[in-house]
Amino acid sequence: MSKKVALITGVTGQDGAYLSEFLIKKGYTVHGIKRRSSLFNTDRIDHLYQDPHDDNRNMILHYGDMTDSMNLTRIIGDIQPDEIYNLAAMSHVKVSFDIPEYTANADGIGTLRVLEAVRLLNLTDKTRIYQASTSELYGLVQEIPQKETTPFYPRSPYAVAKLYAYWITVNYREAYGMHASNGILFNHESPLRGETFVTRKVTRAVSRIVLGLQNKVFMGNLSSKRDWGHAKDYIKAMYLILQQETANDYVISTGVTTTIRDFIKMSFLEVGVDVEFRGVDEEEKGFVVNVNDEIFSKVVGEEYLAAFKNRIGESVVGVDPAYYRPTEVELLIGDNTKARTKLGWEPTYDLKALCQDMMSHDVELMKKEEFLKNGGYRVLNYFE
Ligand code: NAP
Ligand code: GDD
């Protein structure tokens, strides 16, 4: 039997990296589309990369861009994929307010370009398509918890672009009988998460604070709630969606929601530090109230304990309204009943396990970067 061929757009991103590894282990040949960049942008997939001179490669990269239809059509025509995972997107909600037109082009029309290429190349019967839809579609939520039938109410240029992508995927399925499905994925995180999304910003900053490399961290809205899962679980759902006989749309979530504030507390607790929040709105601050010597020494290192204990009573978290969004999504919580019953999918990581995975990774990373001091660490200067 010949190997299955998958094409992943957004292969250099968090999900693209985990999905590539997963599909290669399943015996696929994985083709990925990466953007040209003046610096290397393949950190997350370098361990999968194979020299182009090797025979029998199972990971092949192509230059491309979601805004270039001829490029996408040529790549799809050349490789004739069995499955396309359309993960490429300008995926930062706050940034989409700064670059709304580009976001619409890449995230909205980009999806149309992929669908139309498959149609024009007469691959409709062969190629199955996964569209990376999002819980951001629910925005100002019309129902709690959100499920496949909950009406959408997008609250950002990103979510509006993804709304177009969602419906054009449904339309191509209904109009041309294409096997095209939406995964409506709720937030999913990991040690590979981009540094400006809230969980990773927090786990990196907490790691640096306890190591004495950073004084405090400034955040935006601490009260919004997210349904967070682990990216490793969520890419399995993408795969399962494309293995179904008929195409369909699925919510992928954990069914548990947590505030940003509680995620910060949880991250500090992973290293034995008790943080208490006092004050309201812009005046809210997180103070160190206690340190568990045993946990701190085990996870961070005994040599950092004395210095950090001097910080008991000090604030380590502040609020800067520059991180607020013009319109916010206050609450997301998903009902994953359809995915559980029809796909047999369920999450294996709860939030504590996810937080532990990210914190242990980032403490070790920052310890390495400590030797490079600030040369090895990019300070987050932008209000993302
Ligand atoms: P990510 O880490 O931001 O990765 C996005 C990927 O898209 C990167 O490989 C990026 O390339 C690529 N990309 C961006 N613009 C592009 C363009 N114009 N042409 C080609 N490639 C482009 O995002 P992720 O967390 O892996 O998410 C994957 C997909 O799922 C995205 O579509 C996102 O919107 C969606 N989603 C994510 C979540 C979540 O919680 N993670 C939830 C629901 C839906 P560079 O590496 O060069 O930047
Ligand atoms: N990024 C960020 N930075 N968010 C903050 C901060 C901060 O300093 N402080 C508070 N937040 C709040 C945001 O206002 C938002 O309510 C929440 O934390 C989550 O923000 P992000 O982690 O940036 O993710 P998101 O929910 O906006 O979007 C992510 O999940 C979507 C699925 O629901 C992205 O991955 C999207 O691509 C994805 O579609």
Side-chain angles (χ1 to χ4, degrees), residues 45-80:
I45 49 169
D46 280 344
H47 62 296
L48 302 172
Y49 181 75
Q50 290 163 307
D51 190 303
H53 304 97
D54 285 358
D55 294 332
N56 302 319
R57 277 190 300 159
N58 52 20
M59 175 86 183
I60 298 155
L61 297 181
H62 307 260
Y63 281 112
D65 200 291
M66 295 307 290
T67 60
D68 184 337
S69 24
M70 282 193 266
N71 157 271
L72 291 171
T73 308
R74 181 178 50 74
I75 294 171
I76 294 170
D78 283 353
I79 68 179
Q80 307 265 310

Side-chain angles (χ1 to χ4, degrees), residues 12-15 35 65-66 87 89 91 102 158 162 185 188:
T12 57
Q14 170 190 252
D15 293 1
R35 296 193 287 182
D65 200 291
M66 295 307 290
L87 310 185
S91 71
Y102 174 76
Y158 166 78
K162 286 282 189 175
L185 270 52
H188 45 281

